[in-house]
């Protein structure tokens, strides 16, 4: 990770809390209806950061749904805890998913927003496989990602990455150098 998310300075965490809602606003606005939630779903927000998206999703889960926020950064996860303190249907998961024994077939939807480009090439595939194993058979994964190299991942490369682990999908919305993708397991 080029950014120090694990031990962010106070000023970096503060900057992130302000920057993410402003920069992400138009993409979250596209993502929320695309999720097609009825409020009963079990959702994983992988790399939940300071919880900007989590705060929007939790409001949609009023019919017994649950939200799991997973992040490597304790400081960021603590910010999510604070933001969502009034909700009892949230799980906070700290650490590396590859070192956890997460149950397979758990989540109806998984959101991964602006996270994949922070994961080193060598571990990207294995890590995504661990994430996908937690998805229910008919579940869906929604990704928002920077597309312009060197910081981002080109559209084709991102689709191929998911194709390589048995998912098919496409870009649903694009603005400048950022895209929203939807993936699901390939049907045999
Ligand atoms: C740019 S922030 C995006 C946060 C959030 N998804 C959003 O939309 O604002 C990237 C987040 O991914 C987390 N992250 C990076 N690599 C991770 C990994 N391997 N496992 C879990 N979280 C990770 C970082 O700690 C950070 O909180």
């Amino acid at each position: 990770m080029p950014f120090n998310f694990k031990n962010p300075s106070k000023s970096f965490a503060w900057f992130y809390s302000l920057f993410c809602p402003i920069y992400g606003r138009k993409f979250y606005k596209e993502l929320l209806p695309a999720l097609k939630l009825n409020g009963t779903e079990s959702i994983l927000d992988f790399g939940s950061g300071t919880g900007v998206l989590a705060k929007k999703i939790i409001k949609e889960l009023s019919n017994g749904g649950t939200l799991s926020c997973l992040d490597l950064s304790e400081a960021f996860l603590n910010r999510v805890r604070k933001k969502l303190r009034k909700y009892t249907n949230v799980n906070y998961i700290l650490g590396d998913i590859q070192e956890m024994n997460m149950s397979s077939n758990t989540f109806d939807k998984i959101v991964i927003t602006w996270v994949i480009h922070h994961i080193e090439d060598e571990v990207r595939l294995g890590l995504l496989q661990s994430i996908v194993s937690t998805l229910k058979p008919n579940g869906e994964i929604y990704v928002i990602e920077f597309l312009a190299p060197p910081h981002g991942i080109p559209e084709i490369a991102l689709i191929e990455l998911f194709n390589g682990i048995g998912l098919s999908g496409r870009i649903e919305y694009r603005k400048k150098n950022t895209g929203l993708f939807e993936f699901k397991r390939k049907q045999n």
Side-chain angles (χ1 to χ4, degrees):
M1 275 193 294
F3 294 96
N4 186 357
F5 288 119
K6 233 175 177 175
N7 296 299
S9 64
K10 274 200 165 156
S11 53
F12 178 68
W14 178 81
F15 164 77
Y16 239 73
S17 299
L18 291 180
F19 172 78
C20 293
I22 295 168
Y23 185 83
R25 194 174 42 197
K26 51 186 173 293
F27 296 96
Y28 297 141
K29 205 172 157 194
E30 295 293 325
L31 172 60
L32 281 171
L35 286 169
K36 302 177 283 293
L37 298 176
N38 61 29
T40 62
E41 294 87 352
S42 169
I43 300 190
L44 171 64
D45 183 357
F46 183 86
S48 48
T50 58
V52 180
L53 177 59
K55 195 173 174 187
K56 295 179 188 297
I57 291 177
I58 195 66
K59 290 181 183 156
E60 308 285 326
L61 297 180
S62 52
N63 279 329
T66 55
L67 175 63
S68 297
C69 297
L70 187 154
D71 207 287
L72 275 182
S73 165
E74 189 167 13
F76 280 4
L77 208 55
N78 283 340
R79 282 181 177 253
V80 190
R81 272 182 218 280
K82 206 170 162 191
K83 267 194 189 110
L84 306 190
R85 60 187 175 278
K86 71 173 182 182
Y87 298 96
T88 53
N89 53 340
V90 189
N91 304 310
Y92 302 94
I93 308 168
L94 174 66
D96 181 345
I97 194 168
Q98 289 187 286
E99 291 168 8
M100 298 172 193
N101 213 355
M102 283 187 74
S103 315
S104 50
N105 299 343
T106 301
F107 299 109
D108 298 293
K109 319 253 175 186
I110 299 177
V111 293
I112 315 174
T113 60
W114 289 288
V115 180
I116 300 174
H117 69 283
H118 287 295
I119 301 166
E120 295 89 346
D121 280 355
E122 318 81 76
V123 293
R124 207 173 261 166
L125 195 66
L127 197 133
L128 285 175
Q129 272 166 334
S130 298
I131 299 173
V132 169
S133 72
T134 67
L135 187 68
K136 289 182 183 173
N138 291 321
E140 286 154 340
I141 299 193
Y142 299 82
V143 174
I144 297 177
E145 206 33 274
F146 291 125
L147 305 175
H151 190 51
I153 308 168
E155 178 182 338
I156 299 287
L158 194 68
I159 290 175
E160 280 175 359
L161 188 62
F162 278 89
N163 286 168
I165 50 174
L167 278 80
S168 60
R170 59 175 193 193
I171 194 161
E172 297 289 332
Y173 173 74
R174 179 178 183 139
K175 190 157 173 103
K176 294 189 181 157
N177 282 326
T178 300
L180 162 64
F181 298 78
E182 192 176 322
F183 295 101
K184 49 182 77 164
R185 286 207 171 84
K186 287 179 191 164
Q187 303 299 323
N188 294 322

